[in-house]
mmCIF file with all atom_site columns, all heavy atoms in Angstrom:
data_model
loop_
_atom_site.group_PDB
_atom_site.id
_atom_site.type_symbol
_atom_site.label_atom_id
_atom_site.label_alt_id
_atom_site.label_comp_id
_atom_site.label_asym_id
_atom_site.label_entity_id
_atom_site.label_seq_id
_atom_site.pdbx_PDB_ins_code
_atom_site.Cartn_x
_atom_site.Cartn_y
_atom_site.Cartn_z
_atom_site.occupancy
_atom_site.B_iso_or_equiv
_atom_site.pdbx_formal_charge
_atom_site.auth_seq_id
_atom_site.auth_comp_id
_atom_site.auth_asym_id
_atom_site.auth_atom_id
_atom_site.pdbx_PDB_model_num
ATOM 1   N N   . ALA F 1 1  ? -11.367 -21.300 61.392 1.00 0.00 ? 2  ALA F N   1
ATOM 2   C CA  . ALA F 1 1  ? -11.181 -22.186 60.217 1.00 0.00 ? 2  ALA F CA  1
ATOM 3   C C   . ALA F 1 1  ? -10.134 -23.255 60.498 1.00 0.00 ? 2  ALA F C   1
ATOM 4   O O   . ALA F 1 1  ? -10.370 -24.389 60.079 1.00 0.00 ? 2  ALA F O   1
ATOM 5   C CB  . ALA F 1 1  ? -10.781 -21.333 59.053 1.00 0.00 ? 2  ALA F CB  1
ATOM 6   N N   . PHE F 1 2  ? -9.109  -22.896 61.224 1.00 0.00 ? 3  PHE F N   1
ATOM 7   C CA  . PHE F 1 2  ? -8.103  -23.896 61.650 1.00 0.00 ? 3  PHE F CA  1
ATOM 8   C C   . PHE F 1 2  ? -8.779  -25.037 62.478 1.00 0.00 ? 3  PHE F C   1
ATOM 9   O O   . PHE F 1 2  ? -8.540  -26.213 62.259 1.00 0.00 ? 3  PHE F O   1
ATOM 10  C CB  . PHE F 1 2  ? -7.008  -23.170 62.484 1.00 0.00 ? 3  PHE F CB  1
ATOM 11  C CG  . PHE F 1 2  ? -5.978  -24.159 62.898 1.00 0.00 ? 3  PHE F CG  1
ATOM 12  C CD1 . PHE F 1 2  ? -4.902  -24.482 61.952 1.00 0.00 ? 3  PHE F CD1 1
ATOM 13  C CD2 . PHE F 1 2  ? -5.764  -24.548 64.146 1.00 0.00 ? 3  PHE F CD2 1
ATOM 14  C CE1 . PHE F 1 2  ? -3.833  -25.211 62.332 1.00 0.00 ? 3  PHE F CE1 1
ATOM 15  C CE2 . PHE F 1 2  ? -4.731  -25.386 64.547 1.00 0.00 ? 3  PHE F CE2 1
ATOM 16  C CZ  . PHE F 1 2  ? -3.814  -25.787 63.710 1.00 0.00 ? 3  PHE F CZ  1
ATOM 17  N N   . ALA F 1 3  ? -9.543  -24.611 63.417 1.00 0.00 ? 4  ALA F N   1
ATOM 18  C CA  . ALA F 1 3  ? -10.254 -25.564 64.297 1.00 0.00 ? 4  ALA F CA  1
ATOM 19  C C   . ALA F 1 3  ? -11.208 -26.472 63.456 1.00 0.00 ? 4  ALA F C   1
ATOM 20  O O   . ALA F 1 3  ? -11.270 -27.698 63.640 1.00 0.00 ? 4  ALA F O   1
ATOM 21  C CB  . ALA F 1 3  ? -11.029 -24.924 65.483 1.00 0.00 ? 4  ALA F CB  1
ATOM 22  N N   . VAL F 1 4  ? -11.957 -25.902 62.618 1.00 0.00 ? 5  VAL F N   1
ATOM 23  C CA  . VAL F 1 4  ? -12.865 -26.666 61.760 1.00 0.00 ? 5  VAL F CA  1
ATOM 24  C C   . VAL F 1 4  ? -12.089 -27.600 60.823 1.00 0.00 ? 5  VAL F C   1
ATOM 25  O O   . VAL F 1 4  ? -12.480 -28.767 60.541 1.00 0.00 ? 5  VAL F O   1
ATOM 26  C CB  . VAL F 1 4  ? -13.845 -25.801 60.964 1.00 0.00 ? 5  VAL F CB  1
ATOM 27  C CG1 . VAL F 1 4  ? -14.586 -26.551 59.861 1.00 0.00 ? 5  VAL F CG1 1
ATOM 28  C CG2 . VAL F 1 4  ? -14.841 -25.010 61.862 1.00 0.00 ? 5  VAL F CG2 1
ATOM 29  N N   . SER F 1 5  ? -10.978 -27.032 60.324 1.00 0.00 ? 6  SER F N   1
ATOM 30  C CA  . SER F 1 5  ? -10.088 -27.941 59.529 1.00 0.00 ? 6  SER F CA  1
ATOM 31  C C   . SER F 1 5  ? -9.632  -29.027 60.299 1.00 0.00 ? 6  SER F C   1
ATOM 32  O O   . SER F 1 5  ? -9.438  -30.183 59.730 1.00 0.00 ? 6  SER F O   1
ATOM 33  C CB  . SER F 1 5  ? -8.926  -27.044 58.923 1.00 0.00 ? 6  SER F CB  1
ATOM 34  O OG  . SER F 1 5  ? -9.355  -26.064 58.055 1.00 0.00 ? 6  SER F OG  1
ATOM 35  N N   . ILE F 1 6  ? -9.256  -28.854 61.557 1.00 0.00 ? 7  ILE F N   1
ATOM 36  C CA  . ILE F 1 6  ? -8.811  -30.058 62.435 1.00 0.00 ? 7  ILE F CA  1
ATOM 37  C C   . ILE F 1 6  ? -9.955  -31.130 62.413 1.00 0.00 ? 7  ILE F C   1
ATOM 38  O O   . ILE F 1 6  ? -9.690  -32.278 62.355 1.00 0.00 ? 7  ILE F O   1
ATOM 39  C CB  . ILE F 1 6  ? -8.364  -29.564 63.857 1.00 0.00 ? 7  ILE F CB  1
ATOM 40  C CG1 . ILE F 1 6  ? -7.080  -28.843 63.792 1.00 0.00 ? 7  ILE F CG1 1
ATOM 41  C CG2 . ILE F 1 6  ? -8.326  -30.755 64.775 1.00 0.00 ? 7  ILE F CG2 1
ATOM 42  C CD1 . ILE F 1 6  ? -6.646  -28.205 65.118 1.00 0.00 ? 7  ILE F CD1 1
ATOM 43  N N   . CYS F 1 7  ? -11.147 -30.700 62.620 1.00 0.00 ? 8  CYS F N   1
ATOM 44  C CA  . CYS F 1 7  ? -12.252 -31.579 62.628 1.00 0.00 ? 8  CYS F CA  1
ATOM 45  C C   . CYS F 1 7  ? -12.439 -32.309 61.266 1.00 0.00 ? 8  CYS F C   1
ATOM 46  O O   . CYS F 1 7  ? -12.687 -33.442 61.262 1.00 0.00 ? 8  CYS F O   1
ATOM 47  C CB  . CYS F 1 7  ? -13.535 -30.867 62.989 1.00 0.00 ? 8  CYS F CB  1
ATOM 48  S SG  . CYS F 1 7  ? -13.552 -30.254 64.724 1.00 0.00 ? 8  CYS F SG  1
ATOM 49  N N   . LYS F 1 8  ? -12.282 -31.544 60.233 1.00 0.00 ? 9  LYS F N   1
ATOM 50  C CA  . LYS F 1 8  ? -12.350 -32.121 58.883 1.00 0.00 ? 9  LYS F CA  1
ATOM 51  C C   . LYS F 1 8  ? -11.266 -33.188 58.747 1.00 0.00 ? 9  LYS F C   1
ATOM 52  O O   . LYS F 1 8  ? -11.429 -34.292 58.186 1.00 0.00 ? 9  LYS F O   1
ATOM 53  C CB  . LYS F 1 8  ? -12.290 -31.138 57.758 1.00 0.00 ? 9  LYS F CB  1
ATOM 54  C CG  . LYS F 1 8  ? -13.403 -30.187 57.604 1.00 0.00 ? 9  LYS F CG  1
ATOM 55  C CD  . LYS F 1 8  ? -14.762 -30.880 57.403 1.00 0.00 ? 9  LYS F CD  1
ATOM 56  C CE  . LYS F 1 8  ? -14.888 -31.321 56.054 1.00 0.00 ? 9  LYS F CE  1
ATOM 57  N NZ  . LYS F 1 8  ? -16.182 -32.046 55.806 1.00 0.00 ? 9  LYS F NZ  1
ATOM 58  N N   . GLY F 1 9  ? -10.090 -32.889 59.293 1.00 0.00 ? 10 GLY F N   1
ATOM 59  C CA  . GLY F 1 9  ? -8.994  -33.899 59.263 1.00 0.00 ? 10 GLY F CA  1
ATOM 60  C C   . GLY F 1 9  ? -9.301  -35.198 59.984 1.00 0.00 ? 10 GLY F C   1
ATOM 61  O O   . GLY F 1 9  ? -8.902  -36.320 59.649 1.00 0.00 ? 10 GLY F O   1
ATOM 62  N N   . LEU F 1 10 ? -9.993  -34.915 61.148 1.00 0.00 ? 11 LEU F N   1
ATOM 63  C CA  . LEU F 1 10 ? -10.479 -36.150 61.938 1.00 0.00 ? 11 LEU F CA  1
ATOM 64  C C   . LEU F 1 10 ? -11.413 -36.965 61.233 1.00 0.00 ? 11 LEU F C   1
ATOM 65  O O   . LEU F 1 10 ? -11.507 -38.225 61.341 1.00 0.00 ? 11 LEU F O   1
ATOM 66  C CB  . LEU F 1 10 ? -11.108 -35.658 63.213 1.00 0.00 ? 11 LEU F CB  1
ATOM 67  C CG  . LEU F 1 10 ? -10.267 -35.039 64.287 1.00 0.00 ? 11 LEU F CG  1
ATOM 68  C CD1 . LEU F 1 10 ? -11.070 -34.313 65.364 1.00 0.00 ? 11 LEU F CD1 1
ATOM 69  C CD2 . LEU F 1 10 ? -9.401  -36.195 64.839 1.00 0.00 ? 11 LEU F CD2 1
ATOM 70  N N   . SER F 1 11 ? -12.157 -36.305 60.329 1.00 0.00 ? 12 SER F N   1
ATOM 71  C CA  . SER F 1 11 ? -13.319 -36.973 59.618 1.00 0.00 ? 12 SER F CA  1
ATOM 72  C C   . SER F 1 11 ? -12.857 -37.872 58.465 1.00 0.00 ? 12 SER F C   1
ATOM 73  O O   . SER F 1 11 ? -13.736 -38.645 57.999 1.00 0.00 ? 12 SER F O   1
ATOM 74  C CB  . SER F 1 11 ? -14.376 -36.062 59.175 1.00 0.00 ? 12 SER F CB  1
ATOM 75  O OG  . SER F 1 11 ? -13.955 -35.290 58.116 1.00 0.00 ? 12 SER F OG  1
ATOM 76  N N   . VAL F 1 12 ? -11.775 -37.660 57.960 1.00 0.00 ? 13 VAL F N   1
ATOM 77  C CA  . VAL F 1 12 ? -11.318 -38.367 56.791 1.00 0.00 ? 13 VAL F CA  1
ATOM 78  C C   . VAL F 1 12 ? -10.205 -39.462 57.114 1.00 0.00 ? 13 VAL F C   1
ATOM 79  O O   . VAL F 1 12 ? -9.431  -39.175 58.064 1.00 0.00 ? 13 VAL F O   1
ATOM 80  C CB  . VAL F 1 12 ? -10.744 -37.486 55.629 1.00 0.00 ? 13 VAL F CB  1
ATOM 81  C CG1 . VAL F 1 12 ? -11.861 -36.644 55.095 1.00 0.00 ? 13 VAL F CG1 1
ATOM 82  C CG2 . VAL F 1 12 ? -9.559  -36.618 56.111 1.00 0.00 ? 13 VAL F CG2 1
ATOM 83  N N   . ARG F 1 13 ? -10.270 -40.558 56.542 1.00 0.00 ? 14 ARG F N   1
ATOM 84  C CA  . ARG F 1 13 ? -9.266  -41.523 56.770 1.00 0.00 ? 14 ARG F CA  1
ATOM 85  C C   . ARG F 1 13 ? -7.870  -41.099 56.365 1.00 0.00 ? 14 ARG F C   1
ATOM 86  O O   . ARG F 1 13 ? -6.825  -41.300 57.147 1.00 0.00 ? 14 ARG F O   1
ATOM 87  C CB  . ARG F 1 13 ? -9.622  -42.837 55.995 1.00 0.00 ? 14 ARG F CB  1
ATOM 88  C CG  . ARG F 1 13 ? -8.619  -43.937 56.158 1.00 0.00 ? 14 ARG F CG  1
ATOM 89  C CD  . ARG F 1 13 ? -9.188  -45.259 55.674 1.00 0.00 ? 14 ARG F CD  1
ATOM 90  N NE  . ARG F 1 13 ? -10.334 -45.471 56.488 1.00 0.00 ? 14 ARG F NE  1
ATOM 91  C CZ  . ARG F 1 13 ? -10.891 -46.692 56.698 1.00 0.00 ? 14 ARG F CZ  1
ATOM 92  N NH1 . ARG F 1 13 ? -10.268 -47.725 56.221 1.00 0.00 ? 14 ARG F NH1 1
ATOM 93  N NH2 . ARG F 1 13 ? -11.865 -46.883 57.451 1.00 0.00 ? 14 ARG F NH2 1
ATOM 94  N N   . ARG F 1 14 ? -7.739  -40.397 55.182 1.00 0.00 ? 15 ARG F N   1
ATOM 95  C CA  . ARG F 1 14 ? -6.491  -39.919 54.758 1.00 0.00 ? 15 ARG F CA  1
ATOM 96  C C   . ARG F 1 14 ? -6.770  -38.585 54.104 1.00 0.00 ? 15 ARG F C   1
ATOM 97  O O   . ARG F 1 14 ? -7.501  -38.384 53.147 1.00 0.00 ? 15 ARG F O   1
ATOM 98  C CB  . ARG F 1 14 ? -5.988  -40.883 53.626 1.00 0.00 ? 15 ARG F CB  1
ATOM 99  C CG  . ARG F 1 14 ? -4.566  -40.495 53.175 1.00 0.00 ? 15 ARG F CG  1
ATOM 100 C CD  . ARG F 1 14 ? -3.993  -41.526 52.214 1.00 0.00 ? 15 ARG F CD  1
ATOM 101 N NE  . ARG F 1 14 ? -2.844  -41.059 51.628 1.00 0.00 ? 15 ARG F NE  1
ATOM 102 C CZ  . ARG F 1 14 ? -2.780  -40.570 50.396 1.00 0.00 ? 15 ARG F CZ  1
ATOM 103 N NH1 . ARG F 1 14 ? -3.885  -40.442 49.717 1.00 0.00 ? 15 ARG F NH1 1
ATOM 104 N NH2 . ARG F 1 14 ? -1.693  -40.201 49.843 1.00 0.00 ? 15 ARG F NH2 1
ATOM 105 N N   . ALA F 1 15 ? -6.042  -37.572 54.729 1.00 0.00 ? 16 ALA F N   1
ATOM 106 C CA  . ALA F 1 15 ? -6.099  -36.163 54.207 1.00 0.00 ? 16 ALA F CA  1
ATOM 107 C C   . ALA F 1 15 ? -5.339  -36.121 52.869 1.00 0.00 ? 16 ALA F C   1
ATOM 108 O O   . ALA F 1 15 ? -4.178  -36.338 52.887 1.00 0.00 ? 16 ALA F O   1
ATOM 109 C CB  . ALA F 1 15 ? -5.629  -35.153 55.128 1.00 0.00 ? 16 ALA F CB  1
ATOM 110 N N   . GLU F 1 16 ? -6.048  -35.758 51.812 1.00 0.00 ? 17 GLU F N   1
ATOM 111 C CA  . GLU F 1 16 ? -5.327  -35.681 50.522 1.00 0.00 ? 17 GLU F CA  1
ATOM 112 C C   . GLU F 1 16 ? -5.061  -34.243 50.155 1.00 0.00 ? 17 GLU F C   1
ATOM 113 O O   . GLU F 1 16 ? -5.665  -33.366 50.662 1.00 0.00 ? 17 GLU F O   1
ATOM 114 C CB  . GLU F 1 16 ? -6.211  -36.327 49.479 1.00 0.00 ? 17 GLU F CB  1
ATOM 115 C CG  . GLU F 1 16 ? -6.488  -37.860 49.743 1.00 0.00 ? 17 GLU F CG  1
ATOM 116 C CD  . GLU F 1 16 ? -7.409  -38.518 48.783 1.00 0.00 ? 17 GLU F CD  1
ATOM 117 O OE1 . GLU F 1 16 ? -7.706  -37.912 47.692 1.00 0.00 ? 17 GLU F OE1 1
ATOM 118 O OE2 . GLU F 1 16 ? -7.913  -39.647 49.029 1.00 0.00 ? 17 GLU F OE2 1
ATOM 119 N N   . ALA F 1 17 ? -4.254  -34.077 49.124 1.00 0.00 ? 18 ALA F N   1
ATOM 120 C CA  . ALA F 1 17 ? -3.937  -32.694 48.621 1.00 0.00 ? 18 ALA F CA  1
ATOM 121 C C   . ALA F 1 17 ? -5.216  -31.974 48.230 1.00 0.00 ? 18 ALA F C   1
ATOM 122 O O   . ALA F 1 17 ? -5.282  -30.750 48.464 1.00 0.00 ? 18 ALA F O   1
ATOM 123 C CB  . ALA F 1 17 ? -2.914  -32.820 47.424 1.00 0.00 ? 18 ALA F CB  1
ATOM 124 N N   . LYS F 1 18 ? -6.164  -32.664 47.524 1.00 0.00 ? 19 LYS F N   1
ATOM 125 C CA  . LYS F 1 18 ? -7.406  -31.974 47.151 1.00 0.00 ? 19 LYS F CA  1
ATOM 126 C C   . LYS F 1 18 ? -8.171  -31.522 48.337 1.00 0.00 ? 19 LYS F C   1
ATOM 127 O O   . LYS F 1 18 ? -8.816  -30.462 48.228 1.00 0.00 ? 19 LYS F O   1
ATOM 128 C CB  . LYS F 1 18 ? -8.234  -32.937 46.229 1.00 0.00 ? 19 LYS F CB  1
ATOM 129 C CG  . LYS F 1 18 ? -8.852  -34.149 46.917 1.00 0.00 ? 19 LYS F CG  1
ATOM 130 C CD  . LYS F 1 18 ? -9.590  -34.979 45.959 1.00 0.00 ? 19 LYS F CD  1
ATOM 131 C CE  . LYS F 1 18 ? -10.125 -36.227 46.696 1.00 0.00 ? 19 LYS F CE  1
ATOM 132 N NZ  . LYS F 1 18 ? -10.931 -37.066 45.817 1.00 0.00 ? 19 LYS F NZ  1
ATOM 133 N N   . HIS F 1 19 ? -8.121  -32.233 49.420 1.00 0.00 ? 20 HIS F N   1
ATOM 134 C CA  . HIS F 1 19 ? -8.859  -31.755 50.649 1.00 0.00 ? 20 HIS F CA  1
ATOM 135 C C   . HIS F 1 19 ? -8.134  -30.552 51.149 1.00 0.00 ? 20 HIS F C   1
ATOM 136 O O   . HIS F 1 19 ? -8.819  -29.519 51.571 1.00 0.00 ? 20 HIS F O   1
ATOM 137 C CB  . HIS F 1 19 ? -8.806  -32.817 51.785 1.00 0.00 ? 20 HIS F CB  1
ATOM 138 C CG  . HIS F 1 19 ? -9.537  -34.100 51.379 1.00 0.00 ? 20 HIS F CG  1
ATOM 139 N ND1 . HIS F 1 19 ? -8.959  -35.299 51.688 1.00 0.00 ? 20 HIS F ND1 1
ATOM 140 C CD2 . HIS F 1 19 ? -10.745 -34.261 50.736 1.00 0.00 ? 20 HIS F CD2 1
ATOM 141 C CE1 . HIS F 1 19 ? -9.860  -36.290 51.245 1.00 0.00 ? 20 HIS F CE1 1
ATOM 142 N NE2 . HIS F 1 19 ? -10.845 -35.557 50.660 1.00 0.00 ? 20 HIS F NE2 1
ATOM 143 N N   . ALA F 1 20 ? -6.803  -30.474 51.210 1.00 0.00 ? 21 ALA F N   1
ATOM 144 C CA  . ALA F 1 20 ? -6.035  -29.324 51.639 1.00 0.00 ? 21 ALA F CA  1
ATOM 145 C C   . ALA F 1 20 ? -6.324  -28.142 50.788 1.00 0.00 ? 21 ALA F C   1
ATOM 146 O O   . ALA F 1 20 ? -6.498  -26.973 51.315 1.00 0.00 ? 21 ALA F O   1
ATOM 147 C CB  . ALA F 1 20 ? -4.611  -29.670 51.777 1.00 0.00 ? 21 ALA F CB  1
ATOM 148 N N   . LEU F 1 21 ? -6.399  -28.364 49.498 1.00 0.00 ? 22 LEU F N   1
ATOM 149 C CA  . LEU F 1 21 ? -6.638  -27.246 48.567 1.00 0.00 ? 22 LEU F CA  1
ATOM 150 C C   . LEU F 1 21 ? -8.093  -26.664 48.863 1.00 0.00 ? 22 LEU F C   1
ATOM 151 O O   . LEU F 1 21 ? -8.324  -25.437 48.851 1.00 0.00 ? 22 LEU F O   1
ATOM 152 C CB  . LEU F 1 21 ? -6.497  -27.754 47.080 1.00 0.00 ? 22 LEU F CB  1
ATOM 153 C CG  . LEU F 1 21 ? -6.681  -26.725 46.068 1.00 0.00 ? 22 LEU F CG  1
ATOM 154 C CD1 . LEU F 1 21 ? -5.652  -25.565 46.167 1.00 0.00 ? 22 LEU F CD1 1
ATOM 155 C CD2 . LEU F 1 21 ? -6.616  -27.304 44.653 1.00 0.00 ? 22 LEU F CD2 1
ATOM 156 N N   . LYS F 1 22 ? -9.089  -27.460 49.047 1.00 0.00 ? 23 LYS F N   1
ATOM 157 C CA  . LYS F 1 22 ? -10.382 -27.126 49.292 1.00 0.00 ? 23 LYS F CA  1
ATOM 158 C C   . LYS F 1 22 ? -10.522 -26.287 50.519 1.00 0.00 ? 23 LYS F C   1
ATOM 159 O O   . LYS F 1 22 ? -11.098 -25.235 50.503 1.00 0.00 ? 23 LYS F O   1
ATOM 160 C CB  . LYS F 1 22 ? -11.376 -28.283 49.319 1.00 0.00 ? 23 LYS F CB  1
ATOM 161 C CG  . LYS F 1 22 ? -11.696 -28.856 47.894 1.00 0.00 ? 23 LYS F CG  1
ATOM 162 C CD  . LYS F 1 22 ? -12.713 -29.866 47.994 1.00 0.00 ? 23 LYS F CD  1
ATOM 163 C CE  . LYS F 1 22 ? -13.049 -30.458 46.578 1.00 0.00 ? 23 LYS F CE  1
ATOM 164 N NZ  . LYS F 1 22 ? -14.067 -31.508 46.588 1.00 0.00 ? 23 LYS F NZ  1
ATOM 165 N N   . VAL F 1 23 ? -9.955  -26.763 51.662 1.00 0.00 ? 24 VAL F N   1
ATOM 166 C CA  . VAL F 1 23 ? -10.133 -26.037 52.906 1.00 0.00 ? 24 VAL F CA  1
ATOM 167 C C   . VAL F 1 23 ? -9.343  -24.693 52.800 1.00 0.00 ? 24 VAL F C   1
ATOM 168 O O   . VAL F 1 23 ? -9.843  -23.672 53.275 1.00 0.00 ? 24 VAL F O   1
ATOM 169 C CB  . VAL F 1 23 ? -9.767  -26.874 54.158 1.00 0.00 ? 24 VAL F CB  1
ATOM 170 C CG1 . VAL F 1 23 ? -10.610 -28.068 54.380 1.00 0.00 ? 24 VAL F CG1 1
ATOM 171 C CG2 . VAL F 1 23 ? -8.277  -27.210 54.152 1.00 0.00 ? 24 VAL F CG2 1
ATOM 172 N N   . GLY F 1 24 ? -8.222  -24.716 52.200 1.00 0.00 ? 25 GLY F N   1
ATOM 173 C CA  . GLY F 1 24 ? -7.438  -23.486 51.981 1.00 0.00 ? 25 GLY F CA  1
ATOM 174 C C   . GLY F 1 24 ? -8.144  -22.387 51.240 1.00 0.00 ? 25 GLY F C   1
ATOM 175 O O   . GLY F 1 24 ? -8.222  -21.270 51.532 1.00 0.00 ? 25 GLY F O   1
ATOM 176 N N   . LEU F 1 25 ? -8.795  -22.825 50.021 1.00 0.00 ? 26 LEU F N   1
ATOM 177 C CA  . LEU F 1 25 ? -9.409  -21.882 49.169 1.00 0.00 ? 26 LEU F CA  1
ATOM 178 C C   . LEU F 1 25 ? -10.771 -21.458 49.778 1.00 0.00 ? 26 LEU F C   1
ATOM 179 O O   . LEU F 1 25 ? -11.048 -20.279 49.734 1.00 0.00 ? 26 LEU F O   1
ATOM 180 C CB  . LEU F 1 25 ? -9.604  -22.531 47.789 1.00 0.00 ? 26 LEU F CB  1
ATOM 181 C CG  . LEU F 1 25 ? -8.328  -22.677 46.925 1.00 0.00 ? 26 LEU F CG  1
ATOM 182 C CD1 . LEU F 1 25 ? -8.669  -23.484 45.595 1.00 0.00 ? 26 LEU F CD1 1
ATOM 183 C CD2 . LEU F 1 25 ? -7.714  -21.378 46.612 1.00 0.00 ? 26 LEU F CD2 1
ATOM 184 N N   . TRP F 1 26 ? -11.599 -22.331 50.217 1.00 0.00 ? 27 TRP F N   1
ATOM 185 C CA  . TRP F 1 26 ? -12.844 -21.952 50.851 1.00 0.00 ? 27 TRP F CA  1
ATOM 186 C C   . TRP F 1 26 ? -12.675 -21.125 51.953 1.00 0.00 ? 27 TRP F C   1
ATOM 187 O O   . TRP F 1 26 ? -13.243 -20.049 52.068 1.00 0.00 ? 27 TRP F O   1
ATOM 188 C CB  . TRP F 1 26 ? -13.648 -23.269 51.133 1.00 0.00 ? 27 TRP F CB  1
ATOM 189 C CG  . TRP F 1 26 ? -14.447 -23.784 50.064 1.00 0.00 ? 27 TRP F CG  1
ATOM 190 C CD1 . TRP F 1 26 ? -14.098 -24.961 49.316 1.00 0.00 ? 27 TRP F CD1 1
ATOM 191 C CD2 . TRP F 1 26 ? -15.642 -23.330 49.428 1.00 0.00 ? 27 TRP F CD2 1
ATOM 192 N NE1 . TRP F 1 26 ? -15.047 -25.140 48.397 1.00 0.00 ? 27 TRP F NE1 1
ATOM 193 C CE2 . TRP F 1 26 ? -15.965 -24.234 48.486 1.00 0.00 ? 27 TRP F CE2 1
ATOM 194 C CE3 . TRP F 1 26 ? -16.476 -22.245 49.768 1.00 0.00 ? 27 TRP F CE3 1
ATOM 195 C CZ2 . TRP F 1 26 ? -17.121 -23.996 47.710 1.00 0.00 ? 27 TRP F CZ2 1
ATOM 196 C CZ3 . TRP F 1 26 ? -17.680 -22.032 48.978 1.00 0.00 ? 27 TRP F CZ3 1
ATOM 197 C CH2 . TRP F 1 26 ? -18.001 -22.922 47.975 1.00 0.00 ? 27 TRP F CH2 1
ATOM 198 N N   . PHE F 1 27 ? -11.917 -21.588 52.984 1.00 0.00 ? 28 PHE F N   1
ATOM 199 C CA  . PHE F 1 27 ? -11.809 -20.768 54.236 1.00 0.00 ? 28 PHE F CA  1
ATOM 200 C C   . PHE F 1 27 ? -10.981 -19.505 54.005 1.00 0.00 ? 28 PHE F C   1
ATOM 201 O O   . PHE F 1 27 ? -11.375 -18.400 54.561 1.00 0.00 ? 28 PHE F O   1
ATOM 202 C CB  . PHE F 1 27 ? -11.133 -21.642 55.371 1.00 0.00 ? 28 PHE F CB  1
ATOM 203 C CG  . PHE F 1 27 ? -12.006 -22.769 55.700 1.00 0.00 ? 28 PHE F CG  1
ATOM 204 C CD1 . PHE F 1 27 ? -11.497 -23.865 56.267 1.00 0.00 ? 28 PHE F CD1 1
ATOM 205 C CD2 . PHE F 1 27 ? -13.462 -22.690 55.748 1.00 0.00 ? 28 PHE F CD2 1
ATOM 206 C CE1 . PHE F 1 27 ? -12.247 -24.936 56.738 1.00 0.00 ? 28 PHE F CE1 1
ATOM 207 C CE2 . PHE F 1 27 ? -14.181 -23.720 56.135 1.00 0.00 ? 28 PHE F CE2 1
ATOM 208 C CZ  . PHE F 1 27 ? -13.628 -24.863 56.590 1.00 0.00 ? 28 PHE F CZ  1
ATOM 209 N N   . GLY F 1 28 ? -9.922  -19.581 53.285 1.00 0.00 ? 29 GLY F N   1
ATOM 210 C CA  . GLY F 1 28 ? -9.129  -18.335 53.020 1.00 0.00 ? 29 GLY F CA  1
ATOM 211 C C   . GLY F 1 28 ? -9.942  -17.345 52.175 1.00 0.00 ? 29 GLY F C   1
ATOM 212 O O   . GLY F 1 28 ? -9.900  -16.141 52.430 1.00 0.00 ? 29 GLY F O   1
#
């Protein structure tokens, strides 16, 4: 999940709090 999250971070211009919340809740 960490590795996929890194890729998601690469895919967005700016990682926002809502993105962090989504990856944390979904993957966790």
